[in-house]
Amino acid sequence: MNYDEQIPNNVGLSADRRLQRALENWQPKFLEWWNQMGPFGFQTADVYLRTATSVDAKGWATFNYLKMPDYRWGIFLAEPVAERKIGFGEHRGEPAWQEVPGEHRGVLRRLIVTQGDTEPASVEQQRHLGQTCPSLYDLRNLFQVNVEEGRHLWAMVYLLQAYFGRDGREEAEALLERRSGSADNPRILGAFNEPTPDWLSFFMFTHFTDRDGKFQLASLAESGFDPLSRTCRFMLTEEAHHLFVGETGIGRIIARSCRLMGEHHTDRIGEYGGIDLAIIQRYLNFHFSVSLDLFGSELSTNAANYFSTGLKGRFKEPDHDDDHRLTESTYRVLRPHAGRIIESEEPALTALNESLRDAYIADCTRALVRWNKTIEDSGIDFRLTLPHRGFRRAIGEFKGLYVTPEGLRVSETEWRAREGQWLPTPADREFIGSLMCPVVEPGKFATWIAPPPRGINHQPVEMDYVRHLLPPG
Ligand code: BYC
């Protein structure tokens, strides 16, 4: 087997017999998983996909029609930084590790497994969406996201197999065995066990949940373990497209809704095939709160340890104007206290999950401003908002409390009575489900979403981005 041809890589695979053997064993299981759990009904279609064949500007985005099972899931690390030093924690200033530091082996493996687990999980969650695509352009974007999440799984499996011996190989197998939403063997993190039943959920997921990926990957890209840092840096280049799909997808739905509202002089546009802004807000509330949980508890000794030991840094660590050790500093955290929500000064080290969450919320706010600009420009008196960080949380300080989207603590009875105003109702889900009819004619779009301003890779919007579809059923 010509490894470099089959598995494009820049990790010297053809010269590494041990890694070859491990991957030879794992690859057929991956393909079996892909065929079983990957996009349903489209494995023989030709899809206009971007494939990474090398890390340089020329090779990382090669576009071609191919069948998804033939996608070349490669292994890429960003180019090494010469004499890279650890940038934070107790080992700050020491040379970055090229091998796993023995005393942190278990924790590092756990971090890599947690990251790796999200990648196949999202493919599983999105498995049936192709059947109801709003256009060929969107169908292609879904599949691009799916194959790249598959590649991100390969990226983590490479680290497990190359650096963690037998335990790593066992973990690599377990990544193919857990299943999103399974009662017996679920995925590790909460959001990755939620269903993604429709395209509004898909765009919300790629906007809010993939954005957690951006912040977590960026923090792991600061890692003192250099192979992890380089792997995550390359993954981030692909992640940008996933976020684009989410943000512009929601933006296009909003644009369409505004247009229908203007044409029909009503904010109830369901009968015209559009999605009410109020429903979009409820979906947003759901996905934002689920994604906030992915940052872990506000106060976490795990997070403090990851940082002190040099395994996981902060978002854009070098930009922080402090000692990068944080042993003396504090950070303001919102916490529930005596029936209210107060600001509390906490050790910065234990508050690291919260500071990452703050950076994430600021990024979400930026996108929200853009969406609201569309609404404002349409002359519509409605603004989307992000709910309070304490709203509907299942992890951390706010778990088990009843907080309104405005940030008020209320009784469970009051919260439950108003839940239907804040979160998607069964009727909302049924209505959104009823809109999900496939549109597969090139250049045509479903009634509830505006076309994008331009196509993929300078191609026209009306290109046949997915060819040779099987007839429905
Ligand atoms: N659900 O000390 P704590 C992406 C667990 S997304 C369930 O607060 P810590 C992508 C936690 O594991 C990015 N359990 O947590 C997006 C711990 O359990 P153990 C994924 C949760 O460790 C879209 C316990 O609660 N990458 O790439 O500070 C498509 C105590 O928690 C949850 C990463 O997450 C939850 N939400 O932080 C495709 C990066 N939250 O250990 C891909 C790697 C916490 O006591 N992971 N728990 O059994 C991490 O850095 C950390 O594991 C976390 C948690 C930030 C997730």
Side-chain angles (χ1 to χ4, degrees):
M1 171 166 167
N2 179 343
Y3 285 96
D4 293 341
E5 180 59 31
Q6 291 291 318
I7 307 174
N9 71 89
N10 68 348
V11 297
L13 184 56
S14 54
D16 187 339
R17 291 296 303 277
R18 204 172 53 82
L19 184 59
Q20 283 171 22
R21 270 202 302 280
L23 281 175
E24 249 171 55
N25 202 299
W26 188 79
Q27 186 184 35
K29 294 176 187 159
F30 169 81
L31 281 174
E32 197 182 314
W33 167 83
W34 178 269
N35 284 316
Q36 209 183 76
M37 297 310 297
F40 176 72
F42 291 92
Q43 303 287 358
T44 58
D46 292 308
V47 188
Y48 185 68
L49 288 176
R50 171 178 85 177
T51 307
T53 51
S54 66
V55 287
D56 54 28
K58 223 167 117 247
W60 89 269
T62 312
F63 286 85
N64 253 322
Y65 278 98
L66 49 116
K67 299 190 198 321
M68 283 184 277
D70 300 336
Y71 184 83
R72 293 192 301 156
W73 284 282
I75 303 172
F76 294 107
L77 274 54
E79 292 297 348
V81 173
E83 295 179 31
R84 179 167 174 259
K85 302 273 191 295
I86 300 172
F88 57 92
E90 290 156 5
H91 300 285
R92 176 168 154 79
E94 296 173 20
W97 304 302
Q98 299 307 325
E99 293 297 331
V100 176
E103 68 275 35
H104 306 314
R105 189 184 165 85
V107 178
L108 191 54
R109 193 185 61 213
R110 176 90 186 140
L111 277 175
I112 294 171
V113 166
T114 306
Q115 176 63 48
D117 190 69
T118 62
E119 318 289 0
S122 66
V123 175
E124 292 166 3
Q125 288 170 294
Q126 296 161 15
R127 170 171 165 68
H128 292 285
L129 287 174
Q131 308 292 324
T132 55
C133 63
S135 71
L136 287 184
Y137 166 90
D138 291 293
L139 184 62
R140 175 264 166 213
N141 282 347
L142 165 71
F143 294 156
Q144 183 69 54
V145 170
N146 291 161
V147 291
E148 284 176 352
E149 299 302 7
R151 205 201 69 71
H152 291 180
L153 170 62
W154 276 74
M156 291 299 123
V157 163
Y158 158 72
L159 292 174
L160 290 169
Q161 292 186 334
Y163 294 95
F164 291 87
R166 178 203 282 245
D167 319 352
R169 290 194 292 278
E170 284 172 8
E171 293 283 13
E173 308 240 324
L175 285 167
L176 296 175
E177 286 160 9
R178 284 187 285 274
R179 288 285 180 275
S180 174
S182 154
D184 310 330
N185 196 12
R187 293 294 173 184
I188 297 171
L189 298 174
F192 295 89
N193 289 304
E194 297 285 347
T196 310
D198 56 64
W199 281 76
L200 179 56
S201 304
F202 169 68
F203 290 127
M204 290 285 172
F205 182 95
T206 40
H207 182 74
F208 288 111
T209 307
D210 276 78
R211 193 169 303 279
D212 168 51
K214 165 180 163 180
F215 283 85
Q216 299 294 348
L217 287 173
S219 306
L220 294 173
E222 302 291 342
S223 181
F225 179 49
D226 203 41
L228 174 62
S229 160
R230 291 175 56 200
T231 303
C232 291
R233 265 189 284 144
F234 187 71
M235 288 163 77
L236 279 164
T237 54
E238 292 165 323
E239 200 66 31
H241 175 67
H242 307 185
L243 298 175
F244 161 86
V245 169
E247 181 171 340
T248 58
I250 299 172
R252 287 162 51 213
I253 297 175
I254 292 170
R256 180 68 184 151
S257 299
C258 291
R259 178 145 180 205
L260 288 170
M261 287 166 78
E263 279 173 14
H264 298 283
H265 309 289
T266 172
D267 52 5
R268 307 296 292 270
I269 49 174
E271 64 179 291
Y272 306 107
I275 304 180
D276 291 353
L277 294 177
I279 298 184
I280 296 175
Q281 177 70 62
R282 290 197 280 276
Y283 272 69
L284 182 159
N285 290 348
F286 175 83
H287 286 271
F288 180 68
S289 59
V290 167
S291 303
L292 285 187
D293 275 340
L294 292 172
F295 290 83
S297 309
E298 285 72 7
L299 304 175
S300 163
T301 49
N302 283 350
N305 289 336
Y306 302 150
F307 185 85
S308 301
T309 52
L311 300 181
K312 182 180 174 189
R314 287 172 291 177
F315 184 66
K316 298 195 174 163
E317 183 65 45
D319 293 358
H320 289 264
D321 187 16
D322 55 28
D323 68 354
H324 301 274
R325 291 176 195 267
L326 303 181
T327 42
E328 308 293 324
S329 29
T330 58
Y331 192 84
R332 276 199 191 158
V333 176
L334 283 184
R335 302 183 66 180
H337 177 75
R340 292 186 308 125
I341 295 170
I342 56 154
E343 265 192 3
S344 152
E345 204 72 39
E346 300 291 339
L349 265 182
T350 34
L352 280 168
N353 285 344
E354 189 65 353
S355 60
L356 193 61
R357 191 167 13 241
D358 281 337
Y360 168 85
I361 293 175
D363 206 31
C364 292
T365 305
R366 180 199 49 75
L368 193 85
V369 168
R370 287 168 77 140
W371 296 333
N372 277 334
K373 175 94 176 39
T374 305
I375 303 176
E376 189 181 351
D377 289 351
S378 309
I380 293 169
D381 184 21
F382 182 101
R383 297 294 174 266
L384 292 163
T385 52
L386 296 176
H388 188 270
R389 71 183 70 212
F391 174 69
R392 199 185 159 274
R393 291 286 301 283
I395 299 279
E397 297 276 317
F398 293 97
K399 177 180 169 179
L401 302 183
Y402 293 92
V403 178
T404 67
E406 295 77 31
L408 289 177
R409 284 185 64 180
V410 294
S411 69
E412 177 175 0
T413 321
E414 184 177 349
W415 198 93
R416 296 254 174 248
R418 297 175 63 192
E419 188 178 3
Q421 298 164 23
W422 300 329
L423 292 167
T425 61
D428 289 342
R429 294 207 180 272
E430 197 180 322
F431 169 69
I432 296 295
S434 75
L435 287 181
M436 298 294 124
C437 303
V439 177
V440 293
E441 204 182 316
K444 292 271 183 298
F445 288 80
T447 52
W448 49 270
I449 189 164
R454 60 192 69 84
I456 295 295
N457 190 34
H458 312 293
Q459 303 299 318
V461 170
E462 56 278 5
M463 191 164 96
D464 52 349
Y465 286 101
V466 185
R467 292 175 179 162
H468 302 127
L469 302 170
L470 289 177

